[in-house]
Amino acid sequence: MKKDILEKGAILQRDRETYAIAPHIPGGITDTVTLRKICDVAERYGVKELKLTSAQRIALMGVKEEDLDAIWSDLDQQPGAAIGLCVRSVKICPGTTWCKRGVQDSVTLGLKIDTLYHAMELPNKMKMGISGCMLNCAETMVKDIGVVGTPKGWRIYVGGNAGARPRIGDLLTETAPDDDEVLAVVGRIVAYYKGCGSEQRLGRIVEQMGIEEFRKAVMEC
Ligand code: SF4
């Protein structure tokens, strides 16, 4: 029986025959050349439907197994980490780049985080979101790591989850409006998660330890 093909980023569809693949589009920010390329490739391989995903990707639906390698090659991309135990694409709101309500530059910070962590293998899947203000349009409070802009800097939340057992993230710490400070904290969280010996989602670990103990463990690791 067919199943997902992790190494090709291919998700078996309901027909149990074809696959969906989702090229990586960092932050969901793209341009007409990339969009044309995706459309050209879709047409070339008879992919009739494209689906905008909640992870700010564009999925090609109904791909034949025998076309997977050629499609990734034509897209000039490594298979996107849409499935498997890894860091998924980082969700990024428009922030001060475009949004009139933005108070911090979520696009610049989010793209740095995406470059550093997207597809990194971890004990379980990890979702991250970066919002440019407390309105949280990148669903930051239900991400494993959520970074939210405030007038004074950034708040970093951990342990959020929008899955079968939804959980609002806990506030881990606040930083100045300095990308390097945020990157250092995110680095600590990821390093702790990698080495903690648990295969649970981050939220379960935070829940079991309590945010105080988790904070101590992460900030001292
Ligand atoms: S979170 Fe704030 S800055 Fe980001 S899109 Fe929403 S309103 Fe704009």
Side-chain angles (χ1 to χ4, degrees), residues 93-95 99 101-102 131-133 135-137:
C93 89
C99 179
R101 297 188 177 87
S131 290
C133 83
L135 290 177
N136 279 308
C137 294

Side-chain angles (χ1 to χ4, degrees), residues 112-147:
K112 285 180 188 172
I113 291 176
D114 191 271
T115 300
L116 285 169
Y117 294 107
H118 175 248
M120 177 184 281
E121 291 185 7
L122 288 175
N124 206 314
K125 68 179 170 186
M126 175 176 276
K127 296 188 176 183
M128 300 184 187
I130 320 295
S131 290
C133 83
M134 292 299 288
L135 290 177
N136 279 308
C137 294
E139 299 171 343
T140 339
M141 304 304 293
V142 289
K143 300 297 185 195
D144 296 273
I145 299 178
V147 184

Side-chain angles (χ1 to χ4, degrees), residues 122-126 143-145 158-161 165 167-170 172 188-218:
L122 288 175
N124 206 314
K125 68 179 170 186
M126 175 176 276
K143 300 297 185 195
D144 296 273
I145 299 178
V158 286
N161 189 336
R165 269 183 64 196
R167 184 177 192 279
I168 301 292
D170 290 288
L172 180 75
R188 282 176 178 276
I189 300 167
V190 172
Y192 177 77
Y193 188 45
K194 263 185 176 173
C196 73
S198 172
E199 294 179 352
Q200 299 179 96
R201 282 288 288 272
L202 191 63
R204 298 286 92 82
I205 296 171
V206 174
E207 208 165 70
Q208 285 159 10
M209 291 175 73
I211 187 61
E212 297 298 334
E213 195 186 329
F214 182 84
R215 182 183 296 117
K216 209 168 149 208
V218 163

Side-chain angles (χ1 to χ4, degrees), residues 79-100:
I83 50 177
L85 305 181
C86 62
V87 178
R88 306 298 176 78
S89 59
V90 177
K91 194 162 189 171
I92 304 171
C93 89
T96 51
T97 308
W98 295 289
C99 179
K100 62 183 177 296

